[in-house]
PDB file of all heavy atoms in Angstrom:
ATOM      1  N   ASP V 870     -14.102  44.499 -91.458  1.00  0.00           N
ATOM      2  CA  ASP V 870     -15.157  45.459 -91.740  1.00  0.00           C
ATOM      3  C   ASP V 870     -15.152  46.584 -90.563  1.00  0.00           C
ATOM      4  O   ASP V 870     -14.543  47.609 -90.776  1.00  0.00           O
ATOM      5  CB  ASP V 870     -16.405  44.840 -92.000  1.00  0.00           C
ATOM      6  CG  ASP V 870     -17.468  45.907 -92.572  1.00  0.00           C
ATOM      7  OD1 ASP V 870     -17.067  46.913 -92.888  1.00  0.00           O
ATOM      8  OD2 ASP V 870     -18.673  45.515 -92.588  1.00  0.00           O
ATOM      9  N   ILE V 871     -15.844  46.361 -89.684  1.00  0.00           N
ATOM     10  CA  ILE V 871     -16.088  47.269 -88.552  1.00  0.00           C
ATOM     11  C   ILE V 871     -15.112  46.697 -87.399  1.00  0.00           C
ATOM     12  O   ILE V 871     -15.208  45.582 -86.895  1.00  0.00           O
ATOM     13  CB  ILE V 871     -17.463  47.286 -88.023  1.00  0.00           C
ATOM     14  CG1 ILE V 871     -18.337  47.797 -89.109  1.00  0.00           C
ATOM     15  CG2 ILE V 871     -17.500  48.315 -86.786  1.00  0.00           C
ATOM     16  CD1 ILE V 871     -19.866  47.652 -88.754  1.00  0.00           C
ATOM     17  N   VAL V 872     -14.109  47.524 -86.954  1.00  0.00           N
ATOM     18  CA  VAL V 872     -13.168  47.199 -86.004  1.00  0.00           C
ATOM     19  C   VAL V 872     -13.410  48.081 -84.804  1.00  0.00           C
ATOM     20  O   VAL V 872     -13.452  49.309 -84.836  1.00  0.00           O
ATOM     21  CB  VAL V 872     -11.607  47.347 -86.425  1.00  0.00           C
ATOM     22  CG1 VAL V 872     -10.658  47.089 -85.282  1.00  0.00           C
ATOM     23  CG2 VAL V 872     -11.392  46.247 -87.495  1.00  0.00           C
ATOM     24  N   VAL V 873     -13.634  47.516 -83.588  1.00  0.00           N
ATOM     25  CA  VAL V 873     -13.885  48.250 -82.399  1.00  0.00           C
ATOM     26  C   VAL V 873     -12.592  48.051 -81.526  1.00  0.00           C
ATOM     27  O   VAL V 873     -12.110  46.953 -81.219  1.00  0.00           O
ATOM     28  CB  VAL V 873     -14.912  47.681 -81.581  1.00  0.00           C
ATOM     29  CG1 VAL V 873     -15.179  48.510 -80.228  1.00  0.00           C
ATOM     30  CG2 VAL V 873     -16.276  47.934 -82.491  1.00  0.00           C
ATOM     31  N   ILE V 874     -11.841  49.185 -81.052  1.00  0.00           N
ATOM     32  CA  ILE V 874     -10.738  49.051 -80.103  1.00  0.00           C
ATOM     33  C   ILE V 874     -11.270  49.109 -78.691  1.00  0.00           C
ATOM     34  O   ILE V 874     -11.554  50.279 -78.331  1.00  0.00           O
ATOM     35  CB  ILE V 874      -9.704  50.210 -80.440  1.00  0.00           C
ATOM     36  CG1 ILE V 874      -9.227  50.078 -81.906  1.00  0.00           C
ATOM     37  CG2 ILE V 874      -8.511  50.000 -79.544  1.00  0.00           C
ATOM     38  CD1 ILE V 874      -8.275  51.214 -82.235  1.00  0.00           C
ATOM     39  N   GLY V 875     -11.226  48.079 -78.107  1.00  0.00           N
ATOM     40  CA  GLY V 875     -11.586  48.153 -76.557  1.00  0.00           C
ATOM     41  C   GLY V 875     -12.806  47.256 -76.181  1.00  0.00           C
ATOM     42  O   GLY V 875     -13.806  47.334 -76.870  1.00  0.00           O
ATOM     43  N   GLY V 876     -12.682  46.496 -75.247  1.00  0.00           N
ATOM     44  CA  GLY V 876     -13.875  45.609 -74.665  1.00  0.00           C
ATOM     45  C   GLY V 876     -14.122  46.016 -73.272  1.00  0.00           C
ATOM     46  O   GLY V 876     -14.694  45.173 -72.574  1.00  0.00           O
ATOM     47  N   GLY V 877     -14.153  47.355 -73.012  1.00  0.00           N
ATOM     48  CA  GLY V 877     -14.595  47.831 -71.847  1.00  0.00           C
ATOM     49  C   GLY V 877     -16.161  48.167 -71.942  1.00  0.00           C
ATOM     50  O   GLY V 877     -16.893  47.711 -72.775  1.00  0.00           O
ATOM     51  N   THR V 878     -16.625  49.120 -71.116  1.00  0.00           N
ATOM     52  CA  THR V 878     -18.044  49.506 -71.040  1.00  0.00           C
ATOM     53  C   THR V 878     -18.469  50.011 -72.511  1.00  0.00           C
ATOM     54  O   THR V 878     -19.509  49.658 -72.825  1.00  0.00           O
ATOM     55  CB  THR V 878     -18.281  50.597 -69.992  1.00  0.00           C
ATOM     56  OG1 THR V 878     -17.877  50.012 -68.669  1.00  0.00           O
ATOM     57  CG2 THR V 878     -19.729  51.042 -69.971  1.00  0.00           C
ATOM     58  N   ALA V 879     -17.619  50.952 -73.040  1.00  0.00           N
ATOM     59  CA  ALA V 879     -17.954  51.488 -74.248  1.00  0.00           C
ATOM     60  C   ALA V 879     -17.926  50.520 -75.368  1.00  0.00           C
ATOM     61  O   ALA V 879     -18.897  50.367 -76.235  1.00  0.00           O
ATOM     62  CB  ALA V 879     -17.104  52.555 -74.686  1.00  0.00           C
ATOM     63  N   GLY V 880     -16.875  49.734 -75.413  1.00  0.00           N
ATOM     64  CA  GLY V 880     -16.777  48.744 -76.479  1.00  0.00           C
ATOM     65  C   GLY V 880     -17.788  47.645 -76.583  1.00  0.00           C
ATOM     66  O   GLY V 880     -18.503  47.351 -77.613  1.00  0.00           O
ATOM     67  N   ILE V 881     -18.042  46.948 -75.419  1.00  0.00           N
ATOM     68  CA  ILE V 881     -19.057  45.890 -75.446  1.00  0.00           C
ATOM     69  C   ILE V 881     -20.480  46.510 -75.587  1.00  0.00           C
ATOM     70  O   ILE V 881     -21.325  45.905 -76.333  1.00  0.00           O
ATOM     71  CB  ILE V 881     -18.978  45.044 -73.968  1.00  0.00           C
ATOM     72  CG1 ILE V 881     -17.499  44.463 -73.964  1.00  0.00           C
ATOM     73  CG2 ILE V 881     -19.975  43.973 -74.049  1.00  0.00           C
ATOM     74  CD1 ILE V 881     -17.201  43.415 -74.995  1.00  0.00           C
ATOM     75  N   GLY V 882     -20.693  47.615 -74.854  1.00  0.00           N
ATOM     76  CA  GLY V 882     -22.073  48.161 -74.912  1.00  0.00           C
ATOM     77  C   GLY V 882     -22.299  48.539 -76.362  1.00  0.00           C
ATOM     78  O   GLY V 882     -23.548  48.417 -76.905  1.00  0.00           O
ATOM     79  N   PHE V 883     -21.384  49.192 -77.152  1.00  0.00           N
ATOM     80  CA  PHE V 883     -21.637  49.550 -78.429  1.00  0.00           C
ATOM     81  C   PHE V 883     -21.735  48.401 -79.413  1.00  0.00           C
ATOM     82  O   PHE V 883     -22.762  48.311 -80.194  1.00  0.00           O
ATOM     83  CB  PHE V 883     -20.369  50.424 -79.051  1.00  0.00           C
ATOM     84  CG  PHE V 883     -20.320  50.579 -80.429  1.00  0.00           C
ATOM     85  CD1 PHE V 883     -21.146  51.519 -81.016  1.00  0.00           C
ATOM     86  CD2 PHE V 883     -19.555  49.787 -81.319  1.00  0.00           C
ATOM     87  CE1 PHE V 883     -21.200  51.730 -82.433  1.00  0.00           C
ATOM     88  CE2 PHE V 883     -19.537  50.009 -82.605  1.00  0.00           C
ATOM     89  CZ  PHE V 883     -20.430  50.862 -83.312  1.00  0.00           C
ATOM     90  N   VAL V 884     -20.931  47.334 -79.303  1.00  0.00           N
ATOM     91  CA  VAL V 884     -21.195  46.186 -80.122  1.00  0.00           C
ATOM     92  C   VAL V 884     -22.515  45.468 -80.084  1.00  0.00           C
ATOM     93  O   VAL V 884     -23.149  45.067 -80.987  1.00  0.00           O
ATOM     94  CB  VAL V 884     -19.995  45.124 -79.888  1.00  0.00           C
ATOM     95  CG1 VAL V 884     -20.287  43.847 -80.711  1.00  0.00           C
ATOM     96  CG2 VAL V 884     -18.655  45.812 -80.310  1.00  0.00           C
ATOM     97  N   ALA V 885     -22.842  45.454 -78.825  1.00  0.00           N
ATOM     98  CA  ALA V 885     -24.201  44.845 -78.488  1.00  0.00           C
ATOM     99  C   ALA V 885     -25.298  45.650 -79.056  1.00  0.00           C
ATOM    100  O   ALA V 885     -26.313  45.073 -79.685  1.00  0.00           O
ATOM    101  CB  ALA V 885     -24.392  44.561 -76.860  1.00  0.00           C
ATOM    102  N   SER V 886     -25.283  46.973 -78.933  1.00  0.00           N
ATOM    103  CA  SER V 886     -26.271  47.778 -79.470  1.00  0.00           C
ATOM    104  C   SER V 886     -26.287  47.785 -80.991  1.00  0.00           C
ATOM    105  O   SER V 886     -27.338  47.795 -81.663  1.00  0.00           O
ATOM    106  CB  SER V 886     -26.142  49.188 -79.038  1.00  0.00           C
ATOM    107  OG  SER V 886     -26.587  49.385 -77.753  1.00  0.00           O
ATOM    108  N   LEU V 887     -25.027  47.782 -81.649  1.00  0.00           N
ATOM    109  CA  LEU V 887     -25.122  47.622 -83.082  1.00  0.00           C
ATOM    110  C   LEU V 887     -25.616  46.314 -83.626  1.00  0.00           C
ATOM    111  O   LEU V 887     -26.345  46.410 -84.586  1.00  0.00           O
ATOM    112  CB  LEU V 887     -23.510  47.739 -83.499  1.00  0.00           C
ATOM    113  CG  LEU V 887     -23.220  48.288 -84.853  1.00  0.00           C
ATOM    114  CD1 LEU V 887     -23.951  49.572 -85.273  1.00  0.00           C
ATOM    115  CD2 LEU V 887     -21.728  48.309 -85.225  1.00  0.00           C
ATOM    116  N   LEU V 888     -25.284  45.240 -82.919  1.00  0.00           N
ATOM    117  CA  LEU V 888     -25.774  44.044 -83.480  1.00  0.00           C
ATOM    118  C   LEU V 888     -27.197  43.856 -83.217  1.00  0.00           C
ATOM    119  O   LEU V 888     -27.985  43.007 -84.017  1.00  0.00           O
ATOM    120  CB  LEU V 888     -25.043  42.877 -82.669  1.00  0.00           C
ATOM    121  CG  LEU V 888     -23.553  42.708 -83.146  1.00  0.00           C
ATOM    122  CD1 LEU V 888     -22.897  41.699 -82.248  1.00  0.00           C
ATOM    123  CD2 LEU V 888     -23.519  42.060 -84.565  1.00  0.00           C
ATOM    124  N   LYS V 889     -27.841  44.601 -82.262  1.00  0.00           N
ATOM    125  CA  LYS V 889     -29.117  44.508 -82.107  1.00  0.00           C
ATOM    126  C   LYS V 889     -29.755  45.095 -83.285  1.00  0.00           C
ATOM    127  O   LYS V 889     -31.010  44.734 -83.686  1.00  0.00           O
ATOM    128  CB  LYS V 889     -29.702  45.241 -80.775  1.00  0.00           C
ATOM    129  CG  LYS V 889     -29.613  44.600 -79.578  1.00  0.00           C
ATOM    130  CD  LYS V 889     -30.977  44.111 -79.206  1.00  0.00           C
ATOM    131  CE  LYS V 889     -30.763  43.144 -77.973  1.00  0.00           C
ATOM    132  NZ  LYS V 889     -31.928  42.927 -77.203  1.00  0.00           N
ATOM    133  N   ARG V 890     -29.201  46.187 -83.869  1.00  0.00           N
ATOM    134  CA  ARG V 890     -29.857  46.971 -85.025  1.00  0.00           C
ATOM    135  C   ARG V 890     -29.656  46.189 -86.320  1.00  0.00           C
ATOM    136  O   ARG V 890     -30.354  46.095 -87.237  1.00  0.00           O
ATOM    137  CB  ARG V 890     -29.040  48.187 -85.113  1.00  0.00           C
ATOM    138  CG  ARG V 890     -29.583  49.278 -84.119  1.00  0.00           C
ATOM    139  CD  ARG V 890     -28.700  50.529 -84.079  1.00  0.00           C
ATOM    140  NE  ARG V 890     -29.384  51.504 -83.277  1.00  0.00           N
ATOM    141  CZ  ARG V 890     -29.330  51.473 -81.941  1.00  0.00           C
ATOM    142  NH1 ARG V 890     -28.619  50.510 -81.364  1.00  0.00           N
ATOM    143  NH2 ARG V 890     -29.887  52.450 -81.209  1.00  0.00           N
ATOM    144  N   ASP V 891     -28.425  45.405 -86.351  1.00  0.00           N
ATOM    145  CA  ASP V 891     -28.120  44.645 -87.587  1.00  0.00           C
ATOM    146  C   ASP V 891     -27.341  43.499 -87.239  1.00  0.00           C
ATOM    147  O   ASP V 891     -26.104  43.574 -87.135  1.00  0.00           O
ATOM    148  CB  ASP V 891     -27.398  45.514 -88.555  1.00  0.00           C
ATOM    149  CG  ASP V 891     -27.182  44.823 -89.923  1.00  0.00           C
ATOM    150  OD1 ASP V 891     -27.423  43.616 -90.001  1.00  0.00           O
ATOM    151  OD2 ASP V 891     -26.809  45.484 -90.872  1.00  0.00           O
ATOM    152  N   PRO V 892     -27.852  42.252 -86.991  1.00  0.00           N
ATOM    153  CA  PRO V 892     -27.219  41.031 -86.545  1.00  0.00           C
ATOM    154  C   PRO V 892     -26.274  40.643 -87.481  1.00  0.00           C
ATOM    155  O   PRO V 892     -25.378  39.748 -87.187  1.00  0.00           O
ATOM    156  CB  PRO V 892     -28.279  40.049 -86.237  1.00  0.00           C
ATOM    157  CG  PRO V 892     -29.566  40.817 -86.098  1.00  0.00           C
ATOM    158  CD  PRO V 892     -29.294  42.125 -87.070  1.00  0.00           C
ATOM    159  N   GLY V 893     -26.236  40.944 -88.681  1.00  0.00           N
ATOM    160  CA  GLY V 893     -25.510  40.509 -89.827  1.00  0.00           C
ATOM    161  C   GLY V 893     -24.108  41.107 -89.948  1.00  0.00           C
ATOM    162  O   GLY V 893     -23.301  40.708 -90.692  1.00  0.00           O
ATOM    163  N   LEU V 894     -23.894  42.146 -89.260  1.00  0.00           N
ATOM    164  CA  LEU V 894     -22.668  43.023 -89.320  1.00  0.00           C
ATOM    165  C   LEU V 894     -21.448  42.176 -88.903  1.00  0.00           C
ATOM    166  O   LEU V 894     -21.565  41.309 -88.052  1.00  0.00           O
ATOM    167  CB  LEU V 894     -22.727  44.269 -88.409  1.00  0.00           C
ATOM    168  CG  LEU V 894     -23.622  45.313 -89.126  1.00  0.00           C
ATOM    169  CD1 LEU V 894     -23.868  46.419 -88.019  1.00  0.00           C
ATOM    170  CD2 LEU V 894     -23.102  45.897 -90.301  1.00  0.00           C
ATOM    171  N   LYS V 895     -20.437  42.388 -89.549  1.00  0.00           N
ATOM    172  CA  LYS V 895     -19.225  41.728 -89.215  1.00  0.00           C
ATOM    173  C   LYS V 895     -18.220  42.565 -88.284  1.00  0.00           C
ATOM    174  O   LYS V 895     -17.745  43.703 -88.846  1.00  0.00           O
ATOM    175  CB  LYS V 895     -18.415  41.427 -90.561  1.00  0.00           C
ATOM    176  CG  LYS V 895     -19.055  40.339 -91.487  1.00  0.00           C
ATOM    177  CD  LYS V 895     -19.047  39.061 -90.968  1.00  0.00           C
ATOM    178  CE  LYS V 895     -19.521  38.145 -92.029  1.00  0.00           C
ATOM    179  NZ  LYS V 895     -20.834  37.982 -92.018  1.00  0.00           N
TER     180      LYS V 895
END
Side-chain angles (χ1 to χ4, degrees):
D870 185 9
I871 299 170
V872 173
V873 177
I874 303 175
T878 299
I881 301 295
F883 168 76
V884 172
S886 282
L887 197 60
L888 287 168
K889 279 256 168 163
R890 288 170 168 77
D891 186 347
L894 288 168
K895 299 279 188 287

